[in-house]
């Protein structure tokens, strides 16, 4: 995710480059596969002269509801009225702010009882007036503003990647990244054969939509700490997604691929050919893992980790996603700590261009199109910023 160091209003530097009508735009081809549009972009992306004017920053207070200091895509969501819902895992609560940064309500409390939060990991706001918190204990907790405890969903599923959103509430129902839908009769063999997939949940109906890629996992035994487990191979794909309204963009693949769902139906698959296809050398893989501060289960160094697990030759290209109310998709390519770019794609999947260096990656958007971003101050506290996007 992009980091935008600021304490007051600022404007991203405008870079000279091609605009939306430039002849240097990538060539886009569209094919059809069983009713799904396959959109392929060929060529480099021009630099857009877009700007961002950060008009408001809040958070990091010494007391009160705005004492939060962690702002991540999984911890922030926006409702249709433009209110910002921010999950504070350490405080076991969701605080709701209006677009001026004023707290209007809070919900949730710590506990192991029904509707209480034991290990909150991500938040999603539904159009039904409820806020959904993915709890690492395996439950989906449904909360209402002003209530300390809510209700638990009967759906039970396992954690895939901590720090990422696993549940998305849409007007059609819920979308859940899950390994399986567990029941009291689930057998050990079924657990071992579980498959990562995107589930559409509408009332009592649960329908698999998109399978993940379980081929990038490995099992290893660590005699030194007597630990046997299964993990994603280093640099393997990590699930990213974002939505606005009833349009959901999903990336769960090793190359540049974004799947677009409307009404819980897969309608478009967007590609950028030739990106991320080159195999990494071992030195490049070690540099990427070191930049992530990676340590193995027994505090192994990076070299030991690669010796035991190998590494996926293509790191996850799409590391961040955001969908604007106008249907445009923003995709962060690469990682902010090792260099990244932000692409803007039109609703039909055509690449408009790449934003200037240093442009912050939006966490989400307000209904009026203003971007909600992460702002990092001089003490490395993460705060919420709101900015106007200028084209």
């Amino acid at each position: 995710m992009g980091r935008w160091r600021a304490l007051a209003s600022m404007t991203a530097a405008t870079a000279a480059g091609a605009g939306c009508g430039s002849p240097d735009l990538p060539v886009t081809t569209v094919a059809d596969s069983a009713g799904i549009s396959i959109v392929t972009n060929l060529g480099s992306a021009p630099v857009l002269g877009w700007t961002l004017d950060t008009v408001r920053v809040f958070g990091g207070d010494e007391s009160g509801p705005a004492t939060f200091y962690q702002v991540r895509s999984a911890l922030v969501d926006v409702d249709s009225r433009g209110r910002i819902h921010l999950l504070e895992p350490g405080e076991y609560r969701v605080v709701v702010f209006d677009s001026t940064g004023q707290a209007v309500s809070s919900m949730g409390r710590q506990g192991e009882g029904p509707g209480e939060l034991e290990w909150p990991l991500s938040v999603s706001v539904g159009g039904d007036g409820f806020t959904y918190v993915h709890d690492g204990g395996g439950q989906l907790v449904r909360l209402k503003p002003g209530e300390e405890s809510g209700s638990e969903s009967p759906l039970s599923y396992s954690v895939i990647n901590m720090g990422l959103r696993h549940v998305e509430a849409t007007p059609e129902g819920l979308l859940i990244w899950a390994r399986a839908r567990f029941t009291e009769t689930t057998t050990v063999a079924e657990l071992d054969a579980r498959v990562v997939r995107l589930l559409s949940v509408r009332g009592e109906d649960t329908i698999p939509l998109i399978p993940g890629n379980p081929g990038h996992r490995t099992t290893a035994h660590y005699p030194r700490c007597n630990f046997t487990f299964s993990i994603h191979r280093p640099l393997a794909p990590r699930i990213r997604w974002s939505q606005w309204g009833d349009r959901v963009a999903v990336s769960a693949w090793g190359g540049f691929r974004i799947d677009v769902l409307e009404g819980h139906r897969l309608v478009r698959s967007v590609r950028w050919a030739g990106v991320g296809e080159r195999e990494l050398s071992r030195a490049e893989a070690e540099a990427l893992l070191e930049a992530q501060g990676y340590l193995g289960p027994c505090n192994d160094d990076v070299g030991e980790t690669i010796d035991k697990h190998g590494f996926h030759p293509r790191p996850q290209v799409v590391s961040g996603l955001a969908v604007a109310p106008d249907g445009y998709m923003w995709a962060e390519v690469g990682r902010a700590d090792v260099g990244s770019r932000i692409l803007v794609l039109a609703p039909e999947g055509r690449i408009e261009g790449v934003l200037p260096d240093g442009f912050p990656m939006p966490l989400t958007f307000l209904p009026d199109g203003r971007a909600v971003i992460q702002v990092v101050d001089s003490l490395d506290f993460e705060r919420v910023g709101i900015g106007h996007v200028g084209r």
Side-chain angles (χ1 to χ4, degrees):
M1 147 191 337
R3 285 159 60 99
W4 195 248
R5 295 188 175 273
L7 286 175
S9 175
M10 63 183 64
T11 303
T14 303
C20 294
S22 166
D24 295 329
L25 283 173
V27 176
T28 302
T29 61
V30 181
D32 182 81
S33 176
I36 301 171
S37 297
I38 309 297
V39 182
T40 303
N41 294 278
L42 301 167
S44 61
V47 178
L48 300 172
W50 293 15
T51 61
L52 180 76
D53 182 25
T54 306
V55 298
R56 185 164 295 109
V57 176
F58 62 92
D61 292 356
E62 293 184 0
S63 61
T67 55
F68 61 86
Y69 59 89
Q70 283 189 330
V71 179
R72 312 288 169 83
S73 59
L75 304 180
V76 177
D77 204 6
V78 171
D79 63 24
S80 60
R81 297 168 59 182
R83 296 177 302 187
I84 300 168
H85 294 236
L86 191 140
L87 172 64
E88 292 185 82
E91 298 295 331
Y92 302 91
R93 67 180 181 183
V94 177
V95 182
V96 183
F97 299 90
D98 63 20
S99 59
T100 69
Q102 295 297 313
V104 296
S105 65
S106 67
M107 64 196 94
R109 68 181 179 194
Q110 182 180 9
E112 299 180 10
E116 295 178 327
L117 302 178
E118 182 180 359
W119 186 15
L121 295 176
S122 66
V123 63
S124 182
V125 183
D128 53 5
F130 290 96
T131 299
Y132 295 86
V133 175
H134 165 225
D135 193 84
Q139 287 293 322
L140 176 62
V141 178
R142 189 176 72 169
L143 296 164
K144 197 168 185 178
E147 294 182 349
E148 286 193 341
S149 60
S151 58
E152 290 186 355
S153 164
L155 294 170
S156 180
Y157 53 93
S158 60
V159 175
I160 300 173
N161 290 120
M162 289 182 289
L164 303 181
R165 180 170 291 153
H166 294 75
V167 177
E168 193 72 76
T170 76
E172 297 282 337
L174 299 176
L175 293 172
I176 296 177
W177 275 112
R179 289 199 177 102
R181 183 176 181 177
F182 300 147
T183 67
E184 294 181 356
T185 59
T186 300
T187 65
V188 174
E190 289 172 332
L191 289 177
D192 290 339
R194 58 195 177 189
V195 175
V196 176
R197 56 187 176 175
L198 177 64
L199 302 177
S200 168
V201 182
R202 307 187 194 191
E204 298 297 322
D205 296 329
T206 303
I207 303 172
L209 293 177
I210 299 174
N213 193 339
H216 300 300
R217 297 189 64 84
T218 183
T219 300
H221 177 60
Y222 286 75
R224 180 149 46 92
C225 55
N226 194 27
F227 195 50
T228 301
F229 74 125
S230 176
I231 63 169
H232 281 280
R233 293 177 64 185
L235 306 180
R238 301 187 72 189
I239 297 161
R240 300 281 178 178
W241 68 356
S242 184
Q243 69 97 16
W244 180 262
D246 206 14
R247 181 183 178 90
V248 180
V250 180
S251 177
W253 313 99
F256 188 98
R257 171 175 166 179
I258 299 174
D259 291 325
V260 181
L261 293 87
E262 294 178 356
H264 288 212
R265 184 175 66 89
L266 180 61
V267 297
R268 191 168 296 110
S269 185
V270 181
R271 320 290 172 88
W272 189 13
V275 177
E277 299 297 328
R278 183 179 63 84
E279 290 192 2
L280 294 175
S281 68
R282 181 185 176 106
E284 289 172 320
E286 289 183 356
L288 284 171
L289 288 174
E290 287 173 352
Q292 298 174 30
Y294 185 89
L295 287 177
C298 302
N299 290 329
D300 293 336
D301 63 22
V302 171
E304 289 179 296
T305 297
I306 290 179
D307 287 339
K308 291 175 180 175
H309 302 292
F311 57 90
H312 190 269
R314 297 182 309 221
Q316 173 73 349
V317 174
V318 180
S319 57
L321 277 173
V323 177
D326 59 5
Y328 276 73
M329 296 175 289
W330 297 48
E332 186 174 33
V333 181
R335 292 179 54 91
D337 50 9
V338 293
S340 66
R341 297 170 293 170
I342 299 173
L343 288 176
V344 179
L345 299 94
E348 69 274 14
R350 171 177 48 83
I351 292 179
E352 291 282 331
V354 62
L355 293 173
D357 290 343
F359 207 105
M361 177 65 193
L363 303 172
T364 184
F365 290 87
L366 297 177
D368 59 9
R370 286 181 294 171
V372 179
I373 63 173
Q374 178 202 60
V375 175
V376 184
D377 67 14
S378 58
L379 299 177
D380 281 343
F381 281 178
E382 298 168 6
R383 306 185 183 198
V384 172
I386 299 175
H388 290 286
V389 177
R391 302 187 184 185

